[in-house]
Amino acid sequence: MMTAAPYLLVALPVPLRRLFHYLAPTPAPAPGSRVRVTFAGRALAGIVIASTDQCDFDANKIKPIDTIIDSQPLLPEPLLAFIRWAADYYHAPLGEALQAALPAALRQGSAAELKNDPSSQLWELTEEGQGLPSGALKRSRRQAELIEKLQQTGVCRWSELKAEGYSREALRALGDKKLIRPAREATSFRGEPPLTLNSEQQCALDAIGLDSFGIYLLDGTTGSGKTEVYLQGIARALANDPQAQALVLVPEIGLTPQTLARFRRRFGPSVCAVHSALNDTERLNNWLRASSGEARVIIGTRSAIFTPLANPALIIVDEEHDGSFKQQDGFRYSARDLAAVRAQKLNIPLLLGTATPSLEALHNARTGRYQHLRLTQRATANPTAPIEVIDSQSAKEHQGLTPEALNAIEQHIGAGNQALVFLNRRGFAPVLQCRDCGHQLNCPHCDAKLTLHRNPYHLHCHHCDFQRPPAKRCESCQSPRLEPLGAGTERSEEYLSQTFSDTPVIRIDRDSTRNKGSLDALIDKVHEGEPCILVGTQMLAKGHHFPKVTLVVILDIDSGLFSADFRGPERMGQLITQVAGRAGRADQPGQVLLQSQHGDHPLLQLLLNQGYGQFAQALLDERELTLMPPLAFLALLRADAPNPGAAMAVLQTARELAETLPSEHQIQILGPLPALMEKRGQRFRYLLQFKALSRRGLSVYLGQLIGLLDQQKITRDTRWAIDIDPQEMS
Ligand code: ADP
Ligand code: ZN
Ligand code: ZN
């Protein structure tokens, strides 16, 4: 008989890049199980990674674990291996990576059991309900509608009904009348039939090989029906295998009730959402449903890439270019890039969809690693509208809007349609300036101006959240003549409401949607279809399908042309194309106006005349010349501290250590440099950039460097972190 290894290696949620030894109980819990242990005097839930008989320090000091939480491994072997791969690749402590992968309840050590949650209860019609003649519930409209809905779909989850505004009273009343009853299974679900695909959609769908790994870039114009291809791709995968599951990742602001509803109409209660708006119980339950295989279609944002899946068959990443797939703090991973790794390990296809592919995706398509599928036509009646440039020199008198834009808005709402005004700046005005001495109000903690907000009236730093009442006098010369400069969404909203006083103006930005449900309420209002003017930030840019919007006005994107970040132009091109794509998506043709002071800028001209594809090719050619990603690989070592010298010193040390390391690959080191915003939130920030032509070479090299850095004594209050494949160069 084999003697069991005496130690367990446990990953703990602490920021240390190592595992911890504990004495193994008999029988020892399998890898992937949680155990409760004492660490530095605290009780922590950790995850068993392996058993070992190796221990290179005093074995007498090794403590036993306190309890075993899971009798079965919580994380199946393939998922654990995937998360370990991710932690290695991003040089993150495994304990932190595992934290990111688990819902809060499981992190804290709750039992891995479905918790009672009335909102997940399924409901179906009784025989009596099925036979109910229409008009029978004349006196309670909502009850009649609920019956009708169930007659269409067969079965519904209470959470879904609640999201559609049905009340608990209506549910109870129908239950009391014995017209509906709780259902145990969703077998009676009847999905909406699929649309007939056009030939481009059909070609794309047929190209996807469901039997093995492959990456497909679904490069389709806004409104070309990518979502329909996803839906039918999933339907095929599910039809192939009665247990198959599909995982769909969407950007943070893309997981709207409208999106979910679209998937639910097709796949019913087997659709499970995993996102931050769920409460802990819902998240736990959905995670377990994915793990058990009960959930067939799992839709979530970034962290859903770590969802356990019993029988995965297909992964989809919608809007693959979107920045929100990259986690920007703690465990800094890219869910899109990890999706490729997971699909490969699972030997299943990955579908990346977007109207504006990232240069990474285009490069991979160009080199043949991804199969490039194109949808060039809108699925609906109208082609994407060309973008007309308006010189915005004359916009000053009209709070940022040119007379041409105002005329167009008047025409479109006059014709009974909706107009969308895009402005990527919230608040009332980005700067408050003294008319007498020109002094501008700064944030005391950052190298940044304070934004003036009217509602409520205050000054706000968008970088560190510092807030203060508006100044009555200039800090510098005491003059009372303070003037807001420039316009944010609040100011545009105010101006448009005054100018078009008969038309509702709906502002959609982070401030107007702070409360739970407020975004849905605003979007519902747009969907009612009455003429209105939408004013908003990039929350409006992506994924929404507003059939009545025929005019899009884009204000002030010039900063993208002159950005210090090498990705600035790429992002600008994506944003313009996405926002413009909101116009004319249904039966009325669209019009797009772009206000710019630099309308003749060659990059802008290229985008407007040749389209995003050509524009992106040109950017890619330039990256090839300058050897920037995706033609080279980058990593950033960032350090920050209340004292600039301390942060700089860490990076100096890092650079000196780095220079002593051997590498067969050329590693180019740049810095330490101040971050784009050197001072933020009372901390001074610096970076050291590493660049190499070999991803693997860079990774090995950084692994060694981090090993050395981890041993350095660093002054208290100084933090450093590594960012692999950084998306923000700040
Ligand atoms: P995308 O995801 O590419 O932006 P959507 O999938 O949202 O596009 O499709 C845009 C609109 O076109 C939707 O209203 C959708 O119902 C419709 N649509 C998509 N495919 C078809 C099709 N094959 N036939 C008819 N309408 C379609
Ligand atoms: Zn002054
Ligand atoms: Zn600040």
PDB file of all heavy atoms in Angstrom, residues 443 446 461 464, ligand 3:
ATOM      1  N   CYS A 443      -7.604  68.940  -8.413  1.00  0.00           N
ATOM      2  CA  CYS A 443      -7.796  68.018  -7.298  1.00  0.00           C
ATOM      3  C   CYS A 443      -6.562  68.122  -6.411  1.00  0.00           C
ATOM      4  O   CYS A 443      -5.441  68.099  -6.905  1.00  0.00           O
ATOM      5  CB  CYS A 443      -7.952  66.595  -7.806  1.00  0.00           C
ATOM      6  SG  CYS A 443      -7.974  65.397  -6.454  1.00  0.00           S
ATOM      7  N   CYS A 446      -4.504  64.740  -6.952  1.00  0.00           N
ATOM      8  CA  CYS A 446      -4.137  64.188  -8.262  1.00  0.00           C
ATOM      9  C   CYS A 446      -3.631  65.296  -9.174  1.00  0.00           C
ATOM     10  O   CYS A 446      -3.903  66.470  -8.947  1.00  0.00           O
ATOM     11  CB  CYS A 446      -5.346  63.568  -8.964  1.00  0.00           C
ATOM     12  SG  CYS A 446      -6.220  62.352  -7.994  1.00  0.00           S
ATOM     13  N   CYS A 461     -13.461  64.820  -8.374  1.00  0.00           N
ATOM     14  CA  CYS A 461     -12.311  64.307  -9.105  1.00  0.00           C
ATOM     15  C   CYS A 461     -12.667  62.919  -9.631  1.00  0.00           C
ATOM     16  O   CYS A 461     -12.997  62.023  -8.856  1.00  0.00           O
ATOM     17  CB  CYS A 461     -11.084  64.217  -8.204  1.00  0.00           C
ATOM     18  SG  CYS A 461      -9.708  63.392  -9.037  1.00  0.00           S
ATOM     19  N   CYS A 464      -9.837  60.073  -8.252  1.00  0.00           N
ATOM     20  CA  CYS A 464      -9.707  59.547  -6.889  1.00  0.00           C
ATOM     21  C   CYS A 464     -10.997  59.691  -6.101  1.00  0.00           C
ATOM     22  O   CYS A 464     -11.057  59.341  -4.932  1.00  0.00           O
ATOM     23  CB  CYS A 464      -8.578  60.250  -6.156  1.00  0.00           C
ATOM     24  SG  CYS A 464      -8.990  61.933  -5.685  1.00  0.00           S
TER      25      CYS A 464
HETATM   26 ZN    ZN B   3      -8.206  63.277  -7.393  1.00  0.00          ZN
END
